[in-house]
Amino acid sequence: MFTDWIHWCSSIRSDELLWALTPLLLLDAPRYVLGSLVMWACDFVSDIWRLLTGATDARPHEYCPSVCVVLAGLNEADTIASTLGSVWGSYPRMEIVVVDDGSTDGMADVATEFALTHANVLVIRKPRRGGKSSALNAALPFTQAEVIVCVDTDSHLGPGAIWEIVQPMADPAVGAVSGTVIARNPFLKLITWLQAFEYLRSIFVGRMFAHRLDILAIVSGAFGAFRRDALQRVQGWDVGPGEDGDLVLRLRKAGYTIALAPYAQCLTNLPVSWKRLFFQRRRWEWATITFNCRKHVDLANPFAPHFRWSNLAMLVDSWLFSVVLLYAFWGYLGYLIWHSHEDLGKLLFLNYLAYAGIEIVNLLVVLYYSLDRRRDLCIGLVAPLMPFYYLFLKAAQVWAITEEILTRRSFRDNFVPEHVRAVTWHW
Amino acid sequence: MNRSADPAKNVETRVYAAPEVIPPGERRRHPRYLLTRPVITIPVLADGSPDEERVGEGYTIDVSVGGMSLRIDQSEPPRLSTLVVGVESESSQYHFSTVRMRNVIESSEGKRIGVEFVEPERCVFRAEQLQPWFDARTFSLAPPANEEALTRWCGLGVTRPVVTDYVQVCSACRALPTFRHGCRKCGSARLGNIQLIHHFACAYVGFVEKFEQHGDLMCPKCRAKHLVVGADFEYLAGPYHCLDCNWRDSTPEHIAQCLRCGMRCPASQLSEQQLIGYHVHRLDPLVLIDSVR
């Protein structure tokens, strides 16, 4: 059977091969593989040159602004103490504000216990749930720190993460810095293993590439830093879901640039069931339509104040790869199934191998930049299964985008409490 | 019959000089019900403690709302006029009451003792005597006044000690404290609190002053006007701040101050005192009568 497939591969013409690999060549290869490879090649040459000249890349942490770490959460009594433990004492000029968004499990009590024995920890209790945006905004009146760092209450900061994430802020043009989110529980289940590799590929390396092109459009809600002046200028977070991406677009609109601190790492717990993963990704994808295609479409207007080509490129990147080519991918798949022929299995296998090959290349790039190569190599062992995982994600993506385009589904989601979403603007 | 103000003096008169024929005025006016139940009698000494050496056993003859007739297997009747009588109930549990001896009648069947239930204020086991009490001199809760006597009653199985309460007392001098909301750090009760507004539509959270515009509320972020509390926004209480030491906290601490030594500390640092009282199964004549009916 494999011999048949080899014969089939050797017998097809180059134009047929291009047609067979259309989704790969259109969607994934240029966005993830070529970009990563070019970035790696540049860095490799640069590193070799540095090696030959004896120059060092190690930059000391010289910039030390005052920092306020905001931990906003709901019903995270089990994890808040551990998160506080990982944050407290990791940076000299730091205060911590914990915002309890109406928890019923005693989260604020746990945080208060911590505050009693640790200096510069303030706990704010909201009597009822108002959504993550308002919880984050509630911390702002109580801090005068220059940099606001947001950390999810179920996450754990890596060593020196705060130091790393504030360094790009030395540039006054930078309004926000994205940290890197990696898996805290990668080997718990197959689903977390797959996500862990995806995070390495798309958050760790993928954002490096986006940052170099100045089209970084997201600062993870799990770990990100914001200049306080910039936050005050845009008046904090708007109602979610997708409030982190929305804030970044508003900062870009206000003229700030978005930086990346790839080695400021935050370990977060990943969803452990396919259903929860589906709901999480659906929420993420809604934001593509709500913010990139509706609310902030004026970023593409060349006559708008603060217009930047990078903002236009960022939106085009989002429209093209998250919407147009996504539909093209499913259209192609539908076309193949509709015009099913005897070589369909061979064609799909060819695509699978090509996608798996891409993942191997991605793994190599990840390992080049990795801080913990052994762990990342173990995570990368799941690469042959990634094509199936991405198929699932693409299904979730197309579902979410379609329902958001047609029904504005995001404004009926429980991520935002009903009394808030009833009065907010439905973009 | 003359009644002396000192009950102890009446003891001799009543026990040993009981008339053979009881004048009509002295007889019980309430209907009597025949009742035969095991009974014990314990003479009460002048200090309220039991006379363990003269505990008598017998049975009841009749009972009324005002008193009882008992037959005691004792060659010599009790000398003291005040007795504690325990009557066994149907559940084999003894129930006790304080009684006063009225007469002793010799008959062929033995000595028959007539007793009457004493007034509540003369009862040996008054509620206030069984419970700890507040000592205003030391601002503390003291054990029951006659604890030694109560312990002796416990030895006879009449009373038993029970934990009635747990109270927080000063860890230094065991006196009672007063409580107030105060600063967790310095204990000051001078606290300030800032009110915030959360505007639902844009998620903005800011001080109330920022929203106030010419007598109306306007969101400084999205410029929405005529905001209605509950529908458009909610008030949030910001963290408390101490006006003395500037400490900020989400909730004020319960601060205790000792009434006696003045020590001030968080309520969680107080000691806990166990209050011991005494319990007695009280005899209710109506219940006895009801069981006869």
Side-chain angles (χ1 to χ4, degrees):
Chain A
M1 192 173 175
F2 187 68
T3 319
D4 283 351
W5 181 78
I6 296 284
H7 286 152
W8 177 79
C9 285
S10 55
S11 67
I12 57 174
R13 299 191 310 270
S14 55
D15 59 324
E16 288 173 332
L17 185 66
L18 282 176
W19 173 243
L21 296 176
T22 297
L24 177 83
L25 296 175
L26 266 180
L27 189 57
D28 294 282
R31 179 69 177 84
Y32 297 107
V33 186
L34 286 181
S36 302
L37 279 177
V38 169
M39 182 180 69
W40 168 80
C42 292
D43 285 345
F44 182 72
V45 170
S46 167
D47 288 346
I48 293 291
W49 176 255
R50 202 175 294 119
L51 202 68
L52 292 175
T53 57
T56 175
D57 189 34
R59 286 173 302 174
H61 294 141
E62 290 173 339
Y63 187 58
C64 183
S66 56
V67 165
C68 173
V69 178
V70 179
L71 300 166
L74 171 71
N75 291 334
E76 300 282 4
D78 294 340
T79 55
I80 185 69
S82 156
T83 306
L84 279 166
S86 78
V87 174
W88 195 86
S90 63
Y91 186 81
R93 300 177 64 198
M94 180 170 67
E95 59 181 327
I96 301 174
V97 177
V98 181
V99 185
D100 176 8
D101 191 22
S103 296
T104 54
D105 67 344
M107 174 187 151
D109 296 333
V110 177
T112 304
E113 283 294 315
F114 189 92
L116 284 178
T117 51
H118 298 79
N120 297 325
V121 180
L122 177 67
V123 182
I124 297 172
R125 294 172 195 251
K126 288 179 69 197
R128 70 166 169 165
R129 184 174 161 236
K132 188 172 181 185
S133 305
S134 65
L136 291 165
N137 285 336
L140 299 182
F142 300 102
T143 179
Q144 297 299 318
E146 296 161 70
V147 177
I148 310 294
V149 176
C150 301
V151 181
D152 265 1
T153 44
D154 62 346
S155 300
H156 198 92
L157 291 191
I162 304 276
W163 274 110
E164 287 283 349
I165 205 167
V166 298
Q167 294 312 307
M169 289 286 185
D171 177 1
V174 172
V177 183
S178 173
T180 298
V181 180
I182 56 175
R184 193 178 181 186
N185 54 345
F187 305 114
L188 190 66
K189 281 181 164 184
L190 177 63
I191 186 174
T192 54
W193 200 348
L194 292 163
Q195 289 175 84
F197 185 62
E198 183 214 351
Y199 274 47
L200 286 176
R201 195 191 91 161
S202 60
I203 296 184
F204 182 51
V205 173
R207 286 188 189 174
M208 276 189 202
F209 174 63
H211 174 234
R212 306 237 176 144
L213 295 181
D214 195 17
I215 57 169
L216 186 58
I218 184 77
V219 170
S220 295
F223 186 39
F226 301 90
R227 188 180 298 280
R228 187 165 171 275
D229 294 344
L231 269 183
Q232 280 186 329
R233 190 167 158 191
V234 298
Q235 307 269 33
W237 286 262
D238 276 0
V239 176
E243 68 285 336
D244 40 5
D246 170 58
L247 178 63
V248 169
L249 294 183
R250 289 194 291 130
L251 287 172
R252 292 188 75 111
K253 204 184 284 184
Y256 291 100
T257 58
I258 310 302
L260 177 77
Y263 296 110
Q265 296 195 329
C266 168
L267 293 91
T268 194
N269 289 316
L270 304 174
V272 293
S273 75
W274 291 99
K275 190 178 171 185
R276 290 192 66 179
L277 177 64
F278 176 78
F279 286 133
Q280 182 200 52
R281 295 311 165 95
R282 199 168 65 141
R283 216 165 43 231
W284 289 4
E285 293 306 325
W286 287 336
T288 306
I289 299 300
T290 314
F291 301 124
N292 295 20
C293 301
R294 289 178 183 148
K295 186 176 178 182
H296 300 299
V297 74
D298 58 328
L299 279 169
N301 179 5
F303 302 107
H306 297 301
F307 170 79
R308 283 186 294 166
W309 290 105
S310 62
N311 288 347
L312 176 60
M314 176 200 68
L315 283 189
V316 169
D317 170 70
S318 164
W319 297 339
L320 194 62
F321 289 100
S322 299
V323 184
V324 177
L325 292 178
L326 180 71
Y327 280 113
F329 172 85
W330 286 104
Y332 173 82
L333 213 60
Y335 175 84
L336 281 185
I337 293 168
W338 186 258
H339 296 93
S340 181
H341 51 82
E342 59 181 9
D343 292 333
L344 180 61
K346 292 170 186 163
L347 185 67
L348 292 177
F349 187 61
L350 175 66
N351 267 286
Y352 165 74
L353 281 188
Y355 270 99
I358 283 179
E359 297 309 320
I360 303 292
V361 172
N362 272 320
L363 175 62
L364 294 175
V365 175
V366 165
L367 290 177
Y368 182 77
Y369 292 105
S370 173
L371 283 177
D372 188 346
R373 291 200 171 92
R374 190 173 167 181
R375 188 202 61 178
D376 292 346
L377 181 61
C378 289
I379 292 174
L381 293 176
V382 80
L385 296 179
M386 291 305 285
F388 302 110
Y389 173 70
Y390 285 124
L391 201 61
F392 168 79
L393 290 190
K394 282 189 171 70
Q397 266 181 306
V398 77
W399 178 280
I401 283 176
T402 306
E403 68 177 343
E404 183 60 25
I405 289 174
L406 297 179
T407 69
R408 283 182 160 80
R409 178 66 179 79
S410 61
F411 294 104
R412 299 196 306 276
D413 188 63
N414 281 333
F415 183 79
V416 176
E418 194 172 357
H419 67 277
V420 173
R421 63 177 192 259
V423 293
T424 194
W425 296 274
H426 295 187
W427 289 94
Chain B
M1 182 177 179
N2 294 328
R3 297 189 72 180
S4 167
D6 183 0
K9 290 180 179 175
N10 290 332
V11 169
E12 299 299 320
T13 314
R14 290 190 182 157
V15 174
Y16 298 109
E20 289 182 2
V21 179
I22 300 169
E26 296 297 318
R27 297 174 71 91
R28 276 180 274 166
R29 294 167 185 161
H30 307 288
R32 300 184 185 200
Y33 300 89
L34 292 177
L35 175 75
T36 307
R37 288 271 175 82
V39 70
I40 58 171
T41 58
I42 308 166
V44 182
L45 298 173
D47 63 353
S49 60
D51 184 358
E52 291 98 336
E53 293 174 1
R54 294 179 181 276
V55 175
E57 293 184 4
Y59 55 90
T60 59
I61 298 169
D62 60 51
V63 63
S64 72
V65 175
M68 288 191 294
S69 294
L70 315 171
R71 196 172 300 284
I72 302 297
D73 300 332
Q74 221 170 8
S75 56
E76 192 180 341
R79 285 184 181 176
L80 303 174
S81 68
T82 305
L83 302 173
V84 166
V85 173
V87 179
E88 189 180 322
S89 67
E90 289 171 345
S91 60
S92 303
Q93 171 74 50
Y94 274 90
H95 291 255
F96 297 92
S97 178
T98 309
V99 298
R100 186 184 302 117
M101 282 179 60
R102 292 299 306 271
N103 52 52
V104 179
I105 301 171
E106 293 280 354
S107 70
S108 57
E109 296 171 7
K111 287 190 176 64
R112 174 181 172 142
I113 302 175
V115 298
E116 68 172 346
F117 298 114
V118 300
E119 301 79 9
E121 63 271 18
R122 290 179 181 274
C123 181
V124 174
F125 305 119
R126 291 194 300 279
E128 63 269 23
Q129 289 199 326
L130 300 178
Q131 301 299 326
W133 59 287
F134 176 68
D135 185 350
R137 292 172 305 168
T138 60
F139 294 108
S140 60
L141 285 166
N146 201 357
E147 196 176 22
E148 190 184 338
L150 287 169
T151 310
R152 289 175 63 184
W153 284 109
C154 285
L156 291 171
V158 177
T159 60
R160 61 184 170 86
V162 288
V163 177
T164 57
D165 207 350
Y166 293 91
V167 292
Q168 290 185 305
V169 295
C170 174
S171 51
C173 67
R174 315 290 291 176
L176 292 173
T178 55
F179 296 92
R180 80 278 298 137
H181 285 125
C183 171
R184 195 182 297 275
K185 198 169 186 184
C186 71
S188 167
R190 296 188 341 109
L191 299 178
N193 179 228
I194 302 163
Q195 265 212 326
L196 304 162
I197 282 180
H198 165 210
H199 183 215
F200 298 149
C202 66
Y204 183 76
V205 179
F207 298 121
V208 174
E209 304 84 63
K210 286 196 171 183
F211 281 78
E212 289 171 345
Q213 294 276 331
H214 312 297
D216 192 12
L217 288 175
M218 185 179 82
C219 177
K221 180 177 178 180
C222 65
R223 306 287 165 190
K225 291 180 180 175
H226 312 305
L227 304 179
V228 178
V229 67
D232 297 320
F233 73 93
E234 64 182 350
Y235 287 106
L236 299 177
Y240 288 86
H241 66 276
C242 176
L243 299 175
D244 288 332
C245 72
N246 280 327
W247 172 260
R248 290 187 302 178
D249 210 330
S250 62
T251 49
E253 176 68 75
H254 242 76
I255 301 292
Q257 182 168 1
C258 178
L259 282 168
R260 189 175 177 188
C261 69
M263 189 183 81
R264 192 172 263 235
C265 63
S268 57
Q269 291 178 14
L270 292 171
S271 297
E272 194 171 68
Q273 183 185 356
Q274 196 181 47
L275 296 184
I276 304 288
Y278 290 85
H279 175 77
V280 61
H281 286 285
R282 294 184 186 281
L283 178 68
D284 185 348
L286 292 175
V287 173
L288 272 184
I289 292 167
D290 200 41
S291 69
V292 175
R293 285 173 174 172

